[in-house]
Amino acid sequence: MLNKKDNKKSFISFVLVALFLVLVIVLDQVIKPTDKMSMLLTVLQKGSVYALAAVSMNLLNGFTGLFSLGHAGFMLVGAYTYAIFSIPAAARDTVYQYYDAVIRISFPEVFGNAMGGFGTVLGVTLSVIMAGLAAALLAFLIGLPVLRLKSDYLAIATLGFAEIIRAVFQWSKLGPVTNGSNLLKSFTRTSSFRLTIGDTTITLATFVPVLIATISIIVIVLLVNSTYGRAFKAIRDDEVAAEAMGIGLAKHKMISFVISSFFAGVSGATMAMVLSIAQASNFKAAMTYEILLMVVLGGIGSITGSIIGSLLFVASSEWWLRGLDSGTFLGINAPTIFRNGFRLVVFSVIIMIVVLFFRKGIMGDRELPEVIAGWKRKIAKKKEVASK
């Protein structure tokens, strides 16, 4: 009976995800850049990037109990890896105008020339996977000494490594590979994805990042619900008890750290696609803090909470509160001292209110199906009481 219920839930979830992806494709065609609702596409694009980053951080911080602040560094590695292996040969000398580029292969170009449009997609997929693997490899090397630390010491160490990574990628000696402190551009980006069927061209600029984030999050969900996920939760709850049960602490912490970093690298590659550039100066410690804030707002230990928190954060900062740049909110003029950053002031107040009323985040440690089931039970109970 339980298996039938689980299969039914899985089928419903699959259908809802498929319908959402179809809706994204429709929105991509219907909403034009000049429309007022064009910001919705921007929110979906950036929101999907940050949702994946937040979920991958939650895997480490929320489900394994390892407080890491190095996410921006791993996203940087992913963004650069994707960009380096996606710049066309003809544009490489223009991009690396101050250096002689060492890496001159473009996977989307190589596979695209050999196999057409399918080859380009295959090349982009390979570049994204390489971005994740590069971040995972670096995480493994960093994790060997760092994962011996706990709590605040681990956070400080990972934050330090992230800043070191950012500085190293801007080092002029690595210019032939990373282009130094200059940005990388001209690689395959989301606006390049179009599907032509006869005389009809279907734009996939929003669909691609949403699809990448969706597939990645589904993999993380499967991992969390596996035996490895249960081991991660056991380590989070009580390391001594977990070790007594035969769970290898060092092994499972490393697995969680590497997998989290892999998907951070994938989110970094997706961010490069969305922004059309990759530059180390964009991946500062503030980015990690923003992702951590999304996790906390959504609920530590909740995957759907991280997704909701990310979308709300991006929508508020990029769209809903954009009008506050004029210095007016609900007819109230901001003081002169706050005029330039009035949007941030209001945004900070809203965040504090949310944190005060939702101490464990919007979702707490629950997932959306659990919350909906709780609402149904409350409604049924109220109906039962009313009938009496």
Side-chain angles (χ1 to χ4, degrees):
M1 191 69 177
L2 287 174
N3 289 334
K4 287 183 178 180
K5 286 185 178 180
D6 291 341
N7 290 336
K8 184 179 179 181
K9 288 180 180 178
S10 299
F11 177 74
I12 292 173
S13 300
F14 175 78
V15 171
L16 290 175
V17 170
L19 289 175
F20 173 70
L21 291 174
V22 171
L23 175 62
V24 171
I25 294 178
V26 172
L27 291 175
D28 243 342
Q29 316 316 309
V30 173
I31 300 176
K32 305 301 179 184
T34 55
D35 294 345
K36 290 183 179 180
M37 291 295 291
S38 61
M39 282 304 299
L40 175 60
L41 298 181
T42 302
V43 169
L44 287 173
Q45 291 173 10
K46 290 188 177 180
S48 61
V49 172
Y50 280 107
L52 176 55
V55 171
S56 63
M57 176 181 277
N58 210 350
L59 174 64
L60 193 62
N61 292 13
F63 290 97
T64 316
L66 298 177
F67 189 31
S68 170
L69 292 177
H71 235 58
F74 299 119
M75 290 177 69
L76 182 154
V77 173
Y80 267 69
T81 302
Y82 171 78
I84 290 170
F85 287 101
S86 300
I87 299 174
R92 200 164 291 265
D93 289 333
T94 305
V95 174
Y96 287 83
Q97 54 183 322
Y98 301 109
Y99 303 97
D100 184 17
V102 173
I103 300 174
R104 291 187 168 272
I105 184 172
S106 170
F107 290 118
E109 185 178 45
V110 170
F111 286 100
N113 292 337
M115 305 168 67
F118 174 76
T120 302
V121 173
L122 183 61
V124 169
T125 304
L126 179 59
S127 300
V128 171
I129 292 174
M130 286 187 63
L133 290 175
L137 176 61
L138 184 62
F140 175 77
L141 297 176
I142 292 175
L144 292 174
V146 163
L147 291 181
R148 300 173 185 271
L149 304 173
K150 294 182 180 180
S151 188
D152 298 341
Y153 300 103
L154 176 60
I156 294 170
T158 50
L159 178 62
F161 270 110
E163 288 299 297
I164 291 171
I165 292 170
R166 187 165 64 88
V168 168
F169 269 69
Q170 296 180 91
W171 187 29
S172 60
K173 297 292 184 181
L174 284 179
V177 178
T178 64
N179 204 22
S181 59
N182 305 299
L183 57 83
L184 295 174
K185 57 183 180 179
S186 300
F187 48 80
T188 307
R189 51 195 185 274
T190 53
S191 58
S192 304
F193 292 100
R194 288 182 172 83
L195 181 63
T196 302
I197 302 176
D199 296 331
T200 306
T201 300
I202 300 175
T203 304
L204 301 174
T206 306
F207 174 74
V208 170
V210 171
L211 179 64
I212 293 173
T214 301
I215 293 174
S216 300
I217 291 172
I218 288 173
V219 173
I220 294 175
V221 170
L222 294 175
L223 175 65
V224 168
N225 293 325
S226 69
T227 53
Y228 283 101
R230 289 191 284 273
F232 295 158
K233 294 174 186 176
I235 293 172
R236 174 196 63 190
D237 295 336
D238 193 327
E239 288 192 8
V240 176
E243 192 171 24
M245 292 168 59
I247 296 174
L249 298 183
K251 173 187 173 183
H252 284 84
K253 284 183 180 180
M254 180 62 79
I255 291 174
S256 178
F257 190 57
V258 168
I259 293 176
S260 173
S261 301
F262 173 87
F263 287 109
V266 172
S267 67
T270 311
M271 177 173 283
M273 279 191 217
V274 171
L275 299 180
S276 302
I277 61 168
Q279 191 169 24
S281 59
N282 292 335
F283 296 88
K284 296 179 180 177
M287 178 179 286
T288 298
Y289 302 148
E290 287 181 351
I291 297 170
L292 181 60
L293 177 60
M294 296 171 197
V295 173
V296 174
L297 284 177
I300 297 177
S302 172
I303 291 176
T304 49
S306 296
I307 297 171
I308 293 171
S310 303
L311 291 174
L312 289 176
F313 182 93
V314 174
S316 298
S317 58
E318 296 282 341
W319 186 15
W320 297 336
L321 301 180
R322 179 68 70 176
L324 301 181
D325 290 336
S326 62
T328 305
F329 180 60
L330 297 178
I332 302 172
N333 291 323
T336 306
I337 190 174
F338 293 136
R339 190 62 57 86
N340 293 332
F342 192 43
R343 176 168 42 135
L344 296 177
V345 173
V346 175
F347 189 46
S348 301
V349 172
I350 293 173
I351 289 173
M352 285 189 288
I353 292 173
V354 172
V355 171
L356 285 174
F357 284 93
F358 298 91
R359 296 294 179 88
K360 293 184 177 181
I362 296 172
M363 300 295 292
D365 58 354
R366 300 174 298 170
E367 301 298 344
L368 188 58
E370 298 175 57
V371 174
I372 294 174
W375 290 343
K376 287 182 178 179
R377 284 193 297 269
K378 287 182 180 179
I379 294 172
K381 192 174 181 180
K382 285 182 179 179
K383 286 182 178 179
E384 185 180 347
V385 172
S387 62
K388 291 179 180 179

